[in-house]
Amino acid sequence: MKKFNSGSGLQGRGVRGFTLLELLVVIVIIGMLVGYVGPRYFKQVGKSQITVVRDQLHAFGQALDQYRLDNGHYPSNEQGLEALMAKPTNESKWDGPYLKKAVPLDPWGNPYVYKSPGDHGEYDMLSYGKDGAPGGTGEAADLGSWE
């Protein structure tokens, strides 16, 4: 007759888990991978944000050029970029809206700066970059429509 064993059934087998040292080695390897891959990933994010700014400045430039063709001049500083979406009171030839959507903030959440006349041409449009302040280098550098 067979004997019934009500235990776990693991008697006589060498049950072995991970040791603390093995877990620490795995954690260190994962930490090294994150330390290597993380900065490269965030560098790519920064580059893509700069590309977005340049593309948006180009699109705004096309809308501003269309505005100028219709009205004979670029919007004034007072009218700003809102003149691309809503008809200014003193523009009889306005044929907008010149953009499908309102002017968004730059990828860092700051408004674009518009000046007419500009320091580099008839108008300047720029983003102050990641820091939101004039000047800077790298991702904090100013990006302008004249570049």
Side-chain angles (χ1 to χ4, degrees):
M1 186 165 183
K2 259 187 167 175
K3 220 175 181 187
F4 180 70
N5 184 358
S6 63
S8 66
L10 299 176
Q11 295 172 350
R13 293 185 188 168
V15 177
R16 183 174 179 263
F18 292 108
T19 66
L20 180 60
L21 183 60
E22 291 170 331
L23 290 174
L24 287 174
V25 168
V26 170
I27 290 171
V28 167
I29 291 171
I30 290 171
M32 288 172 49
L33 287 172
V34 169
Y36 180 73
V37 173
R40 292 178 183 266
Y41 170 74
F42 288 111
K43 187 176 182 181
Q44 293 301 321
V45 171
K47 284 182 182 178
S48 66
Q49 290 172 323
I50 291 169
T51 301
V52 167
V53 169
R54 290 202 172 131
D55 290 346
Q56 287 180 335
L57 289 175
H58 179 73
F60 300 149
Q62 290 178 329
L64 286 165
D65 289 343
Q66 186 63 47
Y67 180 98
R68 181 178 182 220
L69 286 172
D70 290 346
N71 298 287
H73 57 86
Y74 289 107
S76 67
N77 282 331
E78 294 77 32
Q79 292 170 328
L81 296 173
E82 292 78 28
L84 298 175
M85 293 298 298
K87 181 180 180 182
T89 55
N90 57 348
E91 297 292 352
S92 60
K93 297 179 183 177
W94 191 87
D95 193 26
Y98 298 96
L99 293 171
K100 291 182 181 180
K101 298 179 182 178
V103 176
L105 298 175
D106 71 12
W108 301 283
N110 302 312
Y112 284 97
V113 177
Y114 173 77
K115 294 186 337 185
S116 179
D119 299 328
H120 301 93
E122 294 185 66
Y123 71 88
D124 287 350
M125 239 190 110
L126 65 135
S127 165
Y128 286 132
K130 186 175 185 176
D131 64 353
T137 59
E139 288 181 46
D142 300 347
L143 300 165
S145 57
W146 59 91
E147 296 176 349

